[in-house]
Amino acid sequence: MVSPCSVAAVVLTIAVSYSCSSAQEEPPVVSRIAFGSCANQSAPQPIWDAIINFKPQVFVWLGDNIYGDFRHPFKLFGKERTIGPWKNIPRFSPTSEHEMQHRYQIAKANPGYSRLRENTKVVGTWDDHDYGLNDAGKEFPKKVTNQKLMLDFLDEPQDSPRRKQAGVYASYTFGPVGKQIKVILLDTRYHRDPLASDGSILGSSQWQWLEEELNAPATAITVIGSSIQVISNFSATTGPLLQVESWGRFPKERTRLFNLLADSKREAVFFISGDVHFGEIARYDCATEYPVYDVTSSGLTQAVEKAVPAPLHLVLRFFAWLTPTTMRVMGKSCRYSSCTYGRPNFGTIEINWKTTPPELKLEVRDENGLPVTGVNISLSQLQVTNKESNIKSNGGKYQKHCSLEVDLPWIDRYRLAILFFGAAAVLLLALIGLLYAVALFCMQCLHKHKLD
């Protein structure tokens, strides 16, 4: 006969075992996320040390995880001309599947990145250069093959839905109930229409999926990763001198995205993005009933100041300061007055779950891990309220963080182009004047020689 003590001991053991098992099954709280984009596999990548020192629990690739296409050199003259109205070959061309795979192997074997992967969950999406071709969209014929290579790079399981769908979009949920973080990663390549079309970025199937994700059970925080900028429309104020990709170049799609976000009533949503080779933080107050942020980190190796000689860095920073912006977050926390950063950088998300309500810190950091721009937000500031929505602007007048760049007065919007063409005109007139003076001097010398 079994004694009551023995039965009690067995029951206690089972209860303790179940309790421990339940505790082990509960996912850990995630409070530190890092992200980045634009990493040339052939370039030095010292920035991984700073990312590792940040101790992220999750790292998010936002595209250009490798540079898989081939970039032809700038040539104005010769047999292969890549710039100018008479260019006869494209600036970029795709490489073979074997070459793409080789470049992914180089990236994955990087010592810094390998150390990061040991203790950090790595997820990601792609942009154009790892998609296979600069600025490419749905017309790119190698997208199916390159999707497999990209997912292999991310160690995506062979039975993953991402390997069976058209595009690499995905959703992840981290943390326990009450402290969950949802990370939605968009694919802005596979279904994207041509740049000048104002067509679709995501395609019908991905739009349906995104709507379902935003209307799914609530989480404390939702991070939406887009390879291209969502809020800033850099091209609206730098054109026709410089054009970059962004949601702003597809106005109907961006409006649809903001409307979907507002209709879902989902709280504490913000964006992270890459692509542009500089870092900044943008804010839009007229999309939902709370401010929506977009933290841009670009790039891990590729950055605008690395593309020009050091003496021109101050010139770039001056033009960044002069570029009109309606969305960029400006403040004393910025390293430079423009609140942009054109050196290698990565982005960070920190959540302090111990405060009530929790506090959120969004930053862009340099190669040493030091912040160059950032914002501190209470999650209570990112909640849907009963107040009237800010979606309508104030009587049609300009509003900071609300009026889009395309709504700026033309003299503000195009001041970079006005300055550039004005300076070019002055230089041209000065050159003409100099040539005239030289010609006049030569004529006088000839006339004097004849008299002699």
Side-chain angles (χ1 to χ4, degrees):
M1 181 176 178
V2 180
S3 68
C5 292
S6 299
V7 173
V10 171
V11 171
L12 181 61
T13 301
I14 293 174
V16 170
S17 299
Y18 178 79
S19 177
C20 292
S21 176
S22 299
Q24 289 174 355
E25 290 176 359
E26 184 176 78
V29 174
V30 171
S31 58
R32 301 167 78 86
I33 299 174
F35 57 93
S37 64
C38 307
N40 190 321
Q41 69 284 345
S42 300
Q45 299 183 1
I47 200 168
W48 292 118
D49 291 336
I51 296 174
I52 292 169
N53 289 337
F54 174 69
K55 297 181 180 179
Q57 294 150 290
V58 179
F59 178 82
V60 182
W61 282 106
L62 289 172
D64 292 343
N65 312 325
I66 63 164
Y67 280 69
D69 49 358
F70 180 77
R71 182 175 61 181
H72 300 272
F74 279 116
K75 281 191 178 180
L76 189 61
F77 303 104
K79 293 182 179 180
E80 295 183 346
R81 302 180 296 276
T82 57
I83 57 174
W86 47 79
K87 73 175 184 179
N88 60 357
I89 64 169
R91 179 86 167 90
F92 294 87
S93 59
T95 57
S96 66
E97 177 183 352
H98 176 75
E99 181 61 24
M100 285 285 291
Q101 187 176 34
H102 175 64
R103 296 185 184 192
Y104 270 123
Q105 289 171 347
I106 295 174
K108 198 168 186 178
N110 180 279
Y113 180 57
S114 296
R115 285 190 291 119
L116 176 76
R117 293 171 56 230
E118 291 175 1
N119 300 305
T120 304
K121 171 69 174 178
V122 176
V123 298
T125 186
W126 60 11
D127 198 31
D128 51 351
H129 294 289
D130 45 349
Y131 182 61
L133 183 63
N134 181 60
D135 290 352
K138 68 180 185 182
E139 76 288 346
F140 185 58
K142 296 185 177 183
K143 57 186 180 183
V144 176
T145 301
N146 289 352
Q147 176 172 337
K148 176 184 179 301
L149 297 177
M150 184 266 194
L151 296 177
D152 288 344
F153 171 71
L154 293 176
D155 295 319
E156 194 75 20
Q158 292 300 318
D159 59 349
S160 168
R162 298 181 85 186
R163 292 187 179 274
K164 302 172 185 177
Q165 67 187 26
V168 300
Y169 54 90
S171 173
Y172 304 87
T173 301
F174 303 104
V177 175
K179 297 180 180 179
Q180 287 184 328
I181 302 174
K182 186 167 192 169
V183 177
I184 298 174
L185 299 179
L186 305 179
D187 184 334
T188 64
R189 292 292 157 194
Y190 202 100
H191 303 279
R192 200 212 67 192
D193 288 322
L195 276 172
S197 67
D198 194 13
S200 182
I201 293 180
L202 302 184
S204 58
S205 58
Q206 189 175 180
W207 270 117
Q208 181 179 352
W209 168 83
L210 179 58
E211 182 176 0
E212 292 170 357
E213 291 293 331
L214 290 176
N215 286 289
T219 52
I221 295 171
T222 300
V223 184
I224 302 179
S226 167
S227 68
I228 56 176
Q229 289 187 301
V230 177
I231 293 178
S232 286
N233 184 6
F234 193 61
S235 297
T237 55
T238 58
L241 301 176
L242 177 66
Q243 298 282 339
V244 298
E245 294 181 274
S246 69
W247 279 76
R249 295 184 68 181
F250 292 80
K252 294 177 183 177
E253 287 286 271
R254 184 164 72 167
T255 299
R256 181 178 180 179
L257 178 64
F258 290 151
N259 288 342
L260 179 59
L261 190 59
D263 292 342
S264 72
K265 300 296 182 181
R266 197 174 188 89
E267 298 183 331
V269 180
F270 61 91
F271 296 94
I272 55 177
S273 58
D275 177 61
V276 290
H277 292 192
F278 65 85
E280 70 168 347
I281 299 177
R283 167 179 169 173
Y284 190 37
D285 291 355
C286 294
T288 68
E289 296 179 42
Y290 56 84
V292 178
Y293 290 86
D294 184 2
V295 187
T296 300
S297 173
S298 176
L300 297 171
T301 66
Q302 308 304 100
V304 291
E305 289 192 13
K306 290 187 68 177
V308 300
L312 295 180
H313 290 178
L314 290 177
V315 176
L316 281 179
R317 293 170 194 173
F318 169 74
F319 279 111
W321 171 80
L322 189 64
T323 304
T325 176
T326 59
M327 302 299 176
R328 188 177 304 142
V329 174
M330 312 292 284
K332 295 180 180 179
S333 64
C334 301
R335 181 169 299 181
Y336 301 125
S337 57
S338 68
C339 283
T340 63
Y341 188 70
R343 302 290 298 167
N345 61 85
F346 67 100
T348 61
I349 302 168
E350 290 184 83
I351 308 101
N352 185 352
W353 296 107
K354 296 180 180 179
T355 61
T356 304
E359 294 179 351
L360 185 66
K361 181 187 291 186
L362 308 176
E363 292 181 322
V364 177
R365 300 191 178 200
D366 65 13
E367 279 186 308
N368 298 314
L370 300 176
V372 296
T373 183
V375 292
N376 295 325
I377 315 162
S378 169
L379 286 191
S380 63
Q381 297 174 262
L382 303 181
Q383 293 179 350
V384 175
T385 66
N386 293 324
K387 296 180 181 179
E388 185 179 353
S389 172
N390 291 326
I391 293 176
K392 295 181 180 179
S393 59
N394 185 16
K397 297 180 180 179
Y398 168 81
Q399 285 183 280
K400 185 68 174 175
H401 301 307
C402 190
S403 300
L404 300 175
E405 293 92 343
V406 294
D407 297 326
L408 285 170
W410 72 269
I411 197 165
D412 288 332
R413 181 179 172 187
Y414 294 114
R415 64 186 179 206
L416 277 182
I418 293 170
L419 175 65
F420 176 82
F421 289 116
V426 170
L427 290 174
L428 181 61
L429 289 174
L431 180 61
I432 293 173
L434 179 62
L435 292 174
Y436 177 77
V438 170
L440 189 63
F441 176 75
C442 291
M443 289 177 65
Q444 289 178 346
C445 289
L446 287 172
H447 181 69
K448 183 177 180 182
H449 179 70
K450 287 180 179 179
L451 291 177
D452 291 343

